[in-house]
Each structure stands twice: as structure tokens, then as C-alpha cells.
Amino acid sequence: MKHIAILGSTGSIGQNTLNVVRDLKRGFRIVALSTNSNIAILLRQIKEFHPEFVCIKDLDAASALRAQLKNKNVKILLGEEGLEEIARNKKIEQIVLAISGSSALRPLLKALDSAKNIALANKEALVMAGPIIMNKVKKNKVNIIPIDSEQSAIWQCLGEEEIGKIKNIYLTASGGPFRNIRVSALKNISIKRVLKHPRWKMGEKISVDCANLMNKGLEVLEAMALFGLGVDKIKVIIHPEAVIHSMVEFVDGVIMAQLSVTDMRIPIQYALSYPERRKTKLASLDFFKLKSLNFYKPDLNRFPCLRLAYRAARERGTMPCVLNAANEISVEAFLNNRLDFSYIPQVILKVMDRHKKVKNPNLGDIFKADLWAKNESRSIINNMN
Ligand code: NDP
Ligand code: MG
């Protein structure tokens, strides 16, 4: 019986993780769950999975939950301190980190300091502080098992091979909802259209990131950190069918690809059950229905966010953290109707150009750069309105 905690259990990945645990029927005990404020979903999860702890960020939501909770055996924890308490809990063997955005960095660091194995969905934390996180992984002899489908694919293709034997990795991207749209049509595009992804159903922030390929840019940075690869070895390929989840090319020219039906429950289940492979009730991939797989070069004029992410990957230091922070604030402004979708890359570019990079940042430098870039982005957006 593996004892796990799911941080961000009310989101798309969090709920899918609980679907996987339910379907597997045996082998897992949910010790803790967490949410920002969504107590309606959390209450249902408490009733079904009986965690010992739940952590809520929003204080009003926590009071409301306390009033509604009949099960007095559940301890309610609050905010970041609550997440830290979960990270330190000796009973918990693996933490599924499914909080979105930069807020995941502190809980991830605490979990690593407590020598917990991590099933990692969040990508922003690795983009912000990849080398620091991977040093902690090494020092504390723990595992980060990726849930992000591309990184899970690469990790599975790699197996026991040495990183030095990799010639290239190919990150596949479905291309999102605007793969074929005229660039001029991206102006004044509605929130509803941006959030309507053709292949995946996800949280709002990652859906916006997918629509302008920033998500793939963040994944380039994520792969650099996870696998210790130079940016020149990481290629992005548009593959609209989203059946090949990514590929590794080795020095002898052999390419390993990982394929499956397009469903996040597959990489989530592998991250939970690793090193075991467990049966799934999901349908097999039907090659005869598929007929063909297609591949295209990403158009960096249509998708400047991907170009910006490659730039941050080359510049390293605090630049990836700044890219991430500027993107987070721009996406939030877009979702609040305060910024046009097509202006997101412009805000990020301005912030990156103004940033005085720290080459080998410590954690203090990372948090400082994050805060600076968020404030800078807000003031640029305010001046645009
Ligand atoms: P969602 O927005 O659906 O869920 C985010 C979860 O985190 C919710 O439980 C939310 O609570 C909680 N949360 C948000 N902000 C905070 C905060 N400041 N403090 C504590 N908890 C918080 O996101 P997704 O599930 O789509 O994505 C989660 C992460 O996984 C992201 O980093 C994303 O990039 C990555 N990922 C997602 C994929 C997907 O298919 N969805 C695929 C690959 C990676 P509440 O419900 O109250 O808002
Ligand atoms: Mg992905």
C-alpha cells in the first residue's frame, strides 16, 4: 500500500489522479488532498477517499469547509504552512504535485527537503529553478517522476540509457486550436476560443499556454532541467494527432517513441505505479482508424512565445524564471479581460529585455526575479490599458 498526497487535487490533473486511484482499486491510500478554494469538489473527494488531512489556501473557503464537514476525522490545514506540514508527514511516501503555476515551487522544495518522492505534473517550478530542484533530488536521493505526457514519454524511452547517449529529443505538440489560423486573426480572439483545445481538457492557465505554444516552450525548459540536456538537443515538432507523446534519438541514429491514446490518465498511472506497469481499462490505440501521423515545423512567427522560451533556455540563469513570471501575469490578465491574447508575447519580451540576469542564481535570487518580473509585467499591462 503506497501512501500518497495530492496537492492540487481539485484541478484537472488532481481529479484525474483520483480517477486513476479509483480505477486501480488496490495499492494506494490517499493521506492528504489540497485545493486553492474549490471546497465543493474537495468535499466529494473527502467523502470518497477519506484523507487524514486537507489543506486549503483560501481562508474563507477553509471556514466554509469546516462548517460543512461532518467527518471530524479530517484535519484541516491552511495555506503554505499546511502544505509544508503535508510535505513533512512521515506517513506520506509520494506527493503528486498538481498545483498550477509558480505557487508550486515552495511546496516542491519542502517536499524534496523532506526526502519525498514526487510525481510531478507542475512544470513552472522546474522552469523557475531547475538546477536547484535537481540538486536537491540528487542530494536527498529521491525521484521526480514526470506526469507531463511529453516528459513521461522521454523518461520511458530513455529507460536505463545514459543521458550522454542522447543525440536529440523531439517534444511533440498538437499545435493547439490556432495551428492554421491567420496571424492577424489572433487579435481580439475570445477567451472561449483560446480555452477550447482540440485534444486535451485541462486547467485554464495551461490551456492558454497551449494556444500560443508557450506550453511547449515551458516544456523545453522543463526537459532541460529534468534530463540535464543542452537546449540544442531539444527539438519541437508539431504533430496534430497527439499520438506520439515524444521521442528520443540516440547517438546511433535509433529513435524511440512513446505512443498511446491521448489521455492523461496513462502518464499519471505510470508515475503512481512505477516501476510496475498496471492494467488500464482505457482502449488501445487503433492504428487502422488513425491511418496516418503528420509532422510539421513550428512557425515561430505565428508563435513567438516558443521563440522567447528558446531564448530564455539559451540565456539560462534567472531568465527562464522571468519568462515564466511574465507569462503567468499576462495569462492572468488575458483571462480577466485586461490583455489581448496577441499581446502576451509582447509583454514577456519587454520584461525579458529589461531584466538584469543573475547567472548562477540561488533560491533568494529566483524568488527576487520572480517578484520583480511579476511587478514589471503588471506595470507594463497597466500602461497598455
Ligand atoms: P488546474 O487549474 O485544473 O488545477 C490546479 C490545482 O491547483 C487546483 O486544485 C487549484 O485549486 C490548485 N491551486 C491553484 N493555485 C493554487 C495556489 N496558489 N495554492 C494552492 N493550490 C492552488 O490545473 P491543471 O490540473 O490543468 O494543471 C496543474 C499543473 O499540471 C500545471 O502546472 C500544468 O502545467 C501541469 N500539467 C497539466 C496537464 C493537464 O492535462 N491538465 C498536462 C501536463 C501538465 P482550485 O481548484 O481551488 O483552483
Ligand atoms: Mg505536456
Side-chain angles (χ1 to χ4, degrees), residues 8 10-13 35-38 57 103 121-122 124 148 202-203:
T10 53
S12 156
I13 293 285
T35 183
N36 183 25
S37 62
N38 195 335
K57 179 164 181 252
S103 321
N122 176 283
E124 291 90 346
D148 202 356
M202 304 169 289

Side-chain angles (χ1 to χ4, degrees), residues 148-168:
D148 202 356
S149 58
E150 294 75 6
Q151 320 298 347
S152 172
I154 292 162
W155 190 67
Q156 292 182 57
C157 291
L158 263 177
E160 300 295 311
E161 296 282 354
E162 290 163 30
I163 298 292
K165 302 286 187 227
I166 298 177
K167 188 171 176 190
N168 286 303

Side-chain angles (χ1 to χ4, degrees), residues 51 64 83 109 129 138 180 207 249 258 278 332 359 374:
L83 292 177
L109 294 169
K138 217 176 185 180
N180 291 319
S207 298
E249 179 182 11
Q258 187 254 341
R278 302 268 306 261
E332 188 183 282
K359 224 169 157 192
K374 284 177 176 166

Side-chain angles (χ1 to χ4, degrees), residues 123 147-151 172 200 202 206 210 215-216 219 222 264:
K123 58 194 81 184
I147 284 180
D148 202 356
S149 58
E150 294 75 6
Q151 320 298 347
T172 52
W200 306 95
M202 304 169 289
I206 185 174
C210 283
N215 181 54
K216 213 46 56 178
E219 286 176 0
E222 187 186 15
M264 281 311 294

